[in-house]
C-alpha cells in the first residue's frame, strides 16, 4: 500500500505593485519685511540649487505678492531643504519662512 501526499497549496491574491515613489510637494517661500533680499537669494541658490536669475525672480515675486512657488520636490527632499533653509535663517536671526503643499 502506498501513501500519496498532496502538497499544501497556498493561494496568493495579486496585489497592486507600489511604485515606491514619494508624493511630490510644492515648496513655497513667504515674504517678510526683515530678511534681506540678498540673503533670500543666497538661500534659494545654495539650498534649492536655483540659478541666480531664477532666485532673483522668485525673491522679487514673493516680495511683491507675499508668497511664491519655489520648486516641486519629493516630500522628504522638500522637508529636508525647508529645514535646512529655516536653520540657516534662524542662525542668521532672520524670520525667513518656507512651506510646502501637496502637488
Amino acid at each position: 500500500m502506498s501513501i500519496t501526499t498532496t502538497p499544501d497549496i497556498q493561494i496568493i491574491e495579486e496585489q497592486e505593485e507600489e511604485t515606491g515613489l514619494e508624493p511630490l510637494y510644492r515648496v513655497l517661500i513667504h515674504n517678510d519685511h526683515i530678511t534681506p533680499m540678498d540673503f533670500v537669494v543666497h538661500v534659494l541658490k545654495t539650498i534649492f540649487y536655483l540659478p541666480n536669475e531664477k532666485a532673483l525672480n522668485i525673491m522679487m515675486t514673493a516680495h511683491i505678492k507675499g508668497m511664491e512657488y519655489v520648486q516641486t520636490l519629493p516630500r522628504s527632499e522638500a522637508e529636508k531643504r525647508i529645514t535646512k533653509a529655516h536653520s540657516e535663517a534662524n542662525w542668521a536671526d532672520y524670520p525667513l519662512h518656507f512651506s510646502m503643499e501637496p502637488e
Side-chain angles (χ1 to χ4, degrees):
M1 172 160 106
S2 74
I3 299 177
T4 309
T5 59
T6 57
D8 288 337
I9 298 174
Q10 187 176 19
I11 298 173
I12 300 174
E13 292 183 26
E14 284 186 41
Q15 297 177 353
E16 249 183 67
E17 246 184 74
E18 291 187 29
T19 62
L21 297 176
E22 289 185 74
L24 296 176
Y25 277 73
R26 296 169 41 91
V27 175
L28 306 170
I29 185 171
H30 302 267
N31 184 54
D32 65 75
H33 299 292
I34 298 168
T35 307
M37 292 179 177
D38 61 334
F39 183 82
V40 174
V41 171
H42 165 76
V43 167
L44 291 170
K45 288 169 56 177
T46 60
I47 296 174
F48 293 94
Y49 306 110
L50 299 177
N52 192 56
E53 188 174 326
K54 186 164 184 163
L56 281 167
N57 288 336
I58 289 171
M59 178 274 299
M60 283 307 296
T61 303
H63 180 71
I64 293 166
K65 294 185 176 181
M67 180 174 62
E68 178 59 302
Y69 165 79
V70 176
Q71 64 190 181
T72 299
L73 298 164
R75 182 179 182 170
S76 64
E77 187 64 24
E79 289 172 342
K80 178 178 134 187
R81 291 187 193 187
I82 289 171
T83 299
K84 189 172 181 179
H86 286 166
S87 294
E88 192 164 329
N90 287 338
W91 184 82
D93 207 23
Y94 295 132
L96 180 62
H97 180 71
F98 291 86
S99 64
M100 59 189 232
E101 65 185 19
E103 176 75 352

